[in-house]
Each structure stands twice: as structure tokens, then as C-alpha cells.
Amino acid sequence: MIPRTVAKVSLLCACVLGGGLAAERPAPKAKSFTEILASSQPSDWRPLDPDNTLYLELASGRVVIELAPTFAPRHAANLKTLVREKYFDGLAFVRSQDNYVVQWADPVEVGGRSLGTAAASLPPEFTTPWTPNLPFTRLADRDGYAPQVGFSQGFPVGRDPKRKEVWLTHCYGAVGVARDSDPTSGSGSSLYVVTGHAPRHLDRNFCVIGRVVLGMEKLSVLPRGTGALGFYEKPEQRTPILALRLASGVAPGERTELEVLRTDTKTWTALVEARRNRRDDWYKVPAGYIELGNLPIPVRPTPK
Amino acid sequence: MIPRTVAKVSLLCACVLGGGLAAERPAPKAKSFTEILASSQPSDWRPLDPDNTLYLELASGRVVIELAPTFAPRHAANLKTLVREKYFDGLAFVRSQDNYVVQWADPVEVGGRSLGTAAASLPPEFTTPWTPNLPFTRLADRDGYAPQVGFSQGFPVGRDPKRKEVWLTHCYGAVGVARDSDPTSGSGSSLYVVTGHAPRHLDRNFCVIGRVVLGMEKLSVLPRGTGALGFYEKPEQRTPILALRLASGVAPGERTELEVLRTDTKTWTALVEARRNRRDDWYKVPAGYIELGNLPIPVRPTPK
């Protein structure tokens, strides 16, 4: 909602992390997003797996990334090798292109830092075979970029039943593997994060390896680079990466304990409907539709 | 594209303003976006009308907004009154919500600055009647939020032939009128700009009054507010508005002379197709689809 005055905000319910569009008053007929979330059960939430959670440490704070090894097993394994060997520590964001992506890499580039025991190139994992044991909560709403879209293991995915393929989609916060035009040239040594309107045309063309679950606001404000494609033209414009760590390699007391709402629950389905047709007083015309890119997944600190 | 290395960028063609996804090599079969744009004719471009162009002056520079009075005549007129009477000078951005909007207003709010001779409330202009003399370049691709979408007078619009209505859509850079839950409560004294994935559910619920044609990168990086809905909690976090001016009220030598690509031309249609099916070497699977929100309209400095 877009209230006219700041004073109005004191009337608003606080938004949970990852929510962001609260209702000013309880809806008369249907529960609002905020109400549905408030009545969620502990079983609606899942903890992040420390072995598949990355902490990207910046001067501005920590960004938390959830890896999706199911959808990019080789790239996830290679990335974990790079992380364990501290490949990224001291590298930097080299690019910020408005309404598109930020990207980090070895600024020295060709002939730069050794990849250690990690592979320098990998077979592409732009899609992965669909198997019936993969969970899939299909979104009823028609999508332009994929025959079907929905959620699998908490990630927004596309699915092609004919080709029996599934893939992670380039929604806001998606983390992908940069590469050259050779599809085998990606290794995970340079990654990007979607900071703009979902560039879904990248789906099935680049390997998405996970998504940012906390701290997007630290990446989305990185000053835009003035070079071609938003690359920075001067080294001092780059934002340094202090460290990139696996959560399981961080002492338990120093971890960011988070829970993510499960996308295979009735609560999630109700939240999707609350976004598809917003019925609080602010909305005069319910959309009757929700796009995959307009469904951020709620995240919260793990209750004590 | 997401090249792995900075070194690769030197091979890339420079992108025009508002473009952003160049092709590394000429496509073997179809012209690339960059090539089509490079072969555009002077008649493919239109100048901005100084009477419907706003300059938002910030410490970081100028943001250029094109107003769309056809789609919100009363709000545009009221906003121009506010601008002429310098209502906005010295106000500030009061809100920046990640992946959603930035918003400016009178931070003092209720009981704050006088609106002068401008109206404090207006009848809603969330949609406008469709008339056959309005240009409409329809996008062939199916849209979830509107029966039809396309471009009219250079703006992305939705259209409902049955209800005979047309409306400006909430794509990246859209400028809208904040209001309270009362639909007549908007006046233009508080405006917002879309800085995230297009919140198309706002279409037909808020009055869109124009769009940012230059300088989005100055708004999209505003630090996110930590209060509810991204409002700033401390006055010093706000970004001041030095001035908001109509271009026609600025001396010719101090104007930002720009041309916008016409959306009723064969060149535009060809650019849309180049984005719908990217055929350069970077893409292994052409999407076969383009979403309204993924079609930024090229802008360039007026050739001398």
C-alpha cells in the first residue's frame, strides 16, 4: 500500500520479514496476509540447513543465502569447495546494473586468484531432470516463461512436463552463476544476484544456485556502476567481500538462526490467495492473478 | 548477460541508456537489440514535451520524469500547480521499501505545508475511458494482470476492451500518487516511484501519473527505511528534495534534452521481438515470450 502520510503508518501492523504489504484494517470477508501469517503453526516453518546456507559478510552486515543443491548439485558442491578454501574473502562486487543484477568476482580476473581444488568449469545445470519424488506446489496462475511454475523445496521454479525438466527461476534475490558464452564456463567463482524486475529470460540459460533469504536490502542499494553492463570503472567503487562462509563452518552462537515458511503448506496456499486477491480497504479492484515474481517467501528469526 | 570476467566486458558493445542487455557478437540470423537500435531513424524518436517533463533535483543529480496527462488529467494538472508553487522544494523522501517503492512527501505531514492553490483531494483516476483515437501498440504476449497490455503514447498500459478502460501500469520507474484508503484522498502532494519487481496488483487501484525516463539509479539505491513499510525512522535518514521543476520553467540551456523511442514504430516492434527471443550466443533457450515489465523503453540525449 502507498499511504499518503507518515502519520498513517502508526496505524499499520508491523510487517514480518519478507512480507511487506500489510493491511491497515482486518479484511471484512477474507483473512489478510498478515492475519494468515500471524496464525501460522510451527510446522509451517522450516529451519535453514547450515550445510546449505551461506553468510556473505559485508561492511554493511550479513547477507544470508540458501543454496539449492537439488537443482544445481555440481555447482553447489564446487561453490562449497571455493567457500571452504576462502576463495571469496577479499574479493569484491564488480558490478551493479540498475534493475538487473549485482555481481561479485575476482577483480583481477584472468590470471587472478587460484581456484584451489575447485573446478574451473562445469557441465551446465540450467535445468535439472524432473523426478516424481520432487515436491511441487503448482501455482494455478498462468506464466509466460514456463509451461508451469510453482515452488519446490521452498524455491520458485519452472517446470516443463513434456521435457521432464525443472529449473530455478530468476526472481528477485535469485543467486546465479556467471559464465562466458560457452555454457560450460561457469564454476561459481563469480556469482550474481537479481536486484530488479525478474529477468526470467535468463531461466534455462544460466545456472541458478540459490536465493538470498535475508539482507537483500544490502545488495539492492549498491551504487550502480557507470561502465558497460553496470561494471564499476574504478576499483574504489567496488564493495569488498569481507568473507563468504558456510553457516555450518560458523560457531553456533554466531549464526543467524532463521526459519523460512514452507511452500508445501495450506498456510502458504492461503498466503498466495491473499496476494492474488487483496481484499482489504486499500484495494478497489482485486487482481485475480498473481505472478511468480510477486510472491516473496516469508522468513523469520527462529523463535526461542 | 552475465559475463564471468570483467575482461570480457571490453569486448561488449556499449549499451544505450535504458537498454542494458547488449549482445556480445552479432546474431547470425536475427538482428540484436543493439543492432536494431543502432539502425533506428530520427523519426523513431520523439522529444520530451517540456510542459510535461519534471526535473527532480537531488544532491546526487537530476531525475527526469515524463508526465502522462492523457491518463490522469486532473492529477497531472494538480501536480503541475504544486510544482509551479514550489510545494515540493525542501521536502524529502520519507520511505524506501526494498523491492517495492520509494516515496516522497511532506515529512511534517498532517498540519504541514500548505498545498497553496492546489486541490487536497481529487476524484480517482485509476483508469481512464478508452477512446478509439488513443494510440495502442498491443503486445502480443499474454498478460496475467490485464486482458490486454501494450504501449500508448510511450507508456506501458493495460486495456480492458469490455469495460472500455485503459490505465498506466506499475512497471519499474512508474510514478504514482499516494493516497489513504479513501480513493479520493490523493492529490499528488505525495508521490511514489516503483523501484522493484512490478507491483502490478496496484494497477487500477492507484493513479499512475508518469514514469521516470532518466535517473532511476539515483532513486533505486536510496537506503531502505527500517520502519514499517520502509518508512525512515529518523529525519536524518531522509533524502532531501532540492527542487521539483517543470522543464518548461527551466532555462533552455539548463534543460536535459532527451529523446524517447516511439513505441508506435517498426523499430520498437523489432526491439520487442529481439527481447522476446534473444538469439545471440549467450542464450541457449529463447524465451518465446516477453513480459510488459521486461521492456524498458530506450532514451537518449537529443542528437545535436
Side-chain angles (χ1 to χ4, degrees), chain B:
Chain B
M1 85 195 78
I2 323 279
R4 189 169 50 90
T5 60
V6 177
K8 278 274 171 187
V9 175
S10 60
L11 301 173
L12 304 171
C13 18
C15 295
V16 291
L17 239 74
L21 287 167
E24 190 183 15
R25 298 177 219 173
K29 293 167 194 169
K31 276 191 179 178
S32 73
F33 186 93
T34 310
E35 290 172 310
I36 295 165
L37 203 56
S39 62
S40 69
Q41 299 302 306
S43 59
D44 289 328
W45 300 81
R46 63 183 173 88
L48 290 180
D49 171 7
D51 274 329
N52 286 305
T53 302
L54 295 177
Y55 296 154
L56 174 66
E57 309 285 2
L58 307 176
S60 59
R62 177 177 284 177
V63 176
V64 181
I65 296 166
E66 182 178 17
L67 292 178
T70 299
F71 299 94
R74 293 192 190 198
H75 284 76
N78 207 50
L79 176 57
K80 286 196 211 177
T81 299
L82 289 165
V83 168
R84 271 191 295 265
E85 298 180 4
K86 304 191 176 178
Y87 171 78
F88 295 98
D89 299 13
L91 299 189
F93 281 86
V94 295
R95 176 188 189 193
S96 173
Q97 183 171 352
D98 196 52
N99 193 23
Y100 194 36
V101 298
V102 292
Q103 182 178 345
W104 69 94
D106 179 1
V108 183
E109 301 311 328
V110 184
R113 186 174 292 195
S114 162
L115 297 181
T117 66
S121 69
L122 291 170
E125 293 177 315
F126 304 157
T127 67
T128 197
W130 171 260
T131 55
N133 60 331
L134 262 182
F136 182 63
T137 304
R138 187 173 172 184
L139 191 63
D141 311 70
R142 191 187 179 105
D143 183 82
Y145 289 97
Q148 299 177 357
V149 289
F151 295 84
S152 184
Q153 301 184 343
F155 290 86
V157 299
R159 188 170 79 150
D160 186 336
K162 286 185 187 165
R163 298 178 64 94
K164 294 186 167 47
E165 289 177 343
V166 62
W167 56 91
L168 297 185
T169 54
H170 281 81
C171 290
Y172 189 78
V175 180
V177 174
R179 62 169 174 85
D180 299 331
S181 59
D182 173 359
T184 70
S185 60
S187 68
S189 65
S190 179
L191 298 163
Y192 61 92
V193 179
V194 172
T195 56
H197 188 90
R200 296 279 311 282
H201 52 276
L202 298 179
D203 290 0
R204 293 184 277 183
N205 286 292
F206 284 83
C207 171
V208 178
I209 200 167
R211 71 180 190 92
V212 173
V213 293
L214 189 73
M216 266 309 292
E217 76 287 353
K218 294 176 172 60
L219 302 180
S220 57
V221 300
L222 292 185
R224 281 34 175 166
T226 49
L229 307 180
F231 278 89
Y232 295 116
E233 297 183 280
K234 297 173 185 172
E236 62 268 27
Q237 294 170 324
R238 299 171 182 152
T239 298
I241 291 173
L242 305 182
L244 186 58
R245 294 277 180 274
L246 260 180
S248 56
V250 170
E254 292 169 16
R255 295 182 191 169
T256 303
E257 301 290 354
L258 296 174
E259 289 186 340
V260 181
L261 193 89
R262 297 178 65 104
T263 52
D264 56 354
T265 56
K266 286 184 182 174
T267 296
W268 174 249
T269 302
L271 289 172
V272 169
E273 174 54 26
R275 288 197 182 271
R276 182 184 288 124
N277 289 298
R278 296 175 193 241
R279 301 201 184 277
D280 62 81
D281 276 358
W282 284 85
Y283 291 90
K284 310 308 163 188
V285 183
Y289 176 83
I290 187 73
E291 194 197 324
L292 186 69
N294 277 320
L295 284 170
I297 302 168
V299 178
R300 69 178 186 185
T302 303
K304 294 182 180 177

Side-chain angles (χ1 to χ4, degrees), chain A residues 182-200:
Chain A
D182 174 358
T184 70
S185 59
S187 67
S189 65
S190 179
L191 298 165
Y192 62 91
V193 179
V194 172
T195 56
H197 189 89
R200 295 279 311 281

Side-chain angles (χ1 to χ4, degrees), chain A residues 6-236:
Chain A
V6 177
K8 280 275 171 186
V9 175
S10 60
L11 301 172
L12 304 170
C13 18
C15 294
V16 292
L17 241 74
L21 288 166
E24 190 185 15
R25 300 177 215 170
K29 293 168 192 166
K31 276 190 179 178
S32 72
F33 187 92
T34 309
E35 289 172 310
I36 296 164
L37 203 57
S39 63
S40 68
Q41 298 302 305
S43 59
D44 290 327
W45 300 82
R46 63 185 174 85
L48 290 179
D49 172 6
D51 274 331
N52 286 305
T53 302
L54 295 178
Y55 295 154
L56 174 66
E57 310 285 3
L58 307 177
S60 58
R62 177 177 283 174
V63 176
V64 181
I65 296 166
E66 182 178 15
L67 293 177
T70 299
F71 299 95
R74 292 192 192 198
H75 284 75
N78 207 52
L79 175 57
K80 286 195 213 178
T81 298
L82 289 165
V83 168
R84 271 191 297 266
E85 298 179 4
K86 304 192 175 176
Y87 170 78
F88 295 98
D89 300 13
L91 299 189
F93 281 85
V94 294
R95 174 188 190 194
S96 174
Q97 183 173 352
D98 197 53
N99 193 23
Y100 195 36
V101 298
V102 293
Q103 182 177 347
W104 69 93
D106 179 0
V108 182
E109 303 310 329
V110 185
R113 188 175 290 196
S114 163
L115 297 181
T117 67
S121 69
L122 292 170
E125 294 176 316
F126 305 157
T127 66
T128 196
W130 171 260
T131 56
N133 60 333
L134 261 182
F136 182 64
T137 303
R138 186 172 173 186
L139 190 64
D141 311 69
R142 191 186 179 104
D143 184 82
Y145 290 97
Q148 299 177 356
V149 290
F151 295 85
S152 186
Q153 301 184 344
F155 290 86
V157 298
R159 187 169 79 150
D160 186 335
K162 286 185 187 164
R163 298 178 64 94
K164 293 187 169 50
E165 289 177 342
V166 62
W167 58 90
L168 296 185
T169 53
H170 282 80
C171 292
Y172 188 77
V175 181
V177 174
R179 62 169 174 83
D180 299 330
S181 60
D182 174 358
T184 70
S185 59
S187 67
S189 65
S190 179
L191 298 165
Y192 62 91
V193 179
V194 172
T195 56
H197 189 89
R200 295 279 311 281
H201 52 276
L202 299 178
D203 290 0
R204 295 184 276 183
N205 286 294
F206 284 83
C207 172
V208 179
I209 200 169
R211 72 180 189 93
V212 173
V213 293
L214 189 74
M216 268 307 292
E217 75 286 355
K218 295 177 173 60
L219 302 181
S220 57
V221 300
L222 292 185
R224 283 27 176 172
T226 49
L229 306 181
F231 278 88
Y232 295 116
E233 295 182 280
K234 298 174 184 171
E236 62 267 27

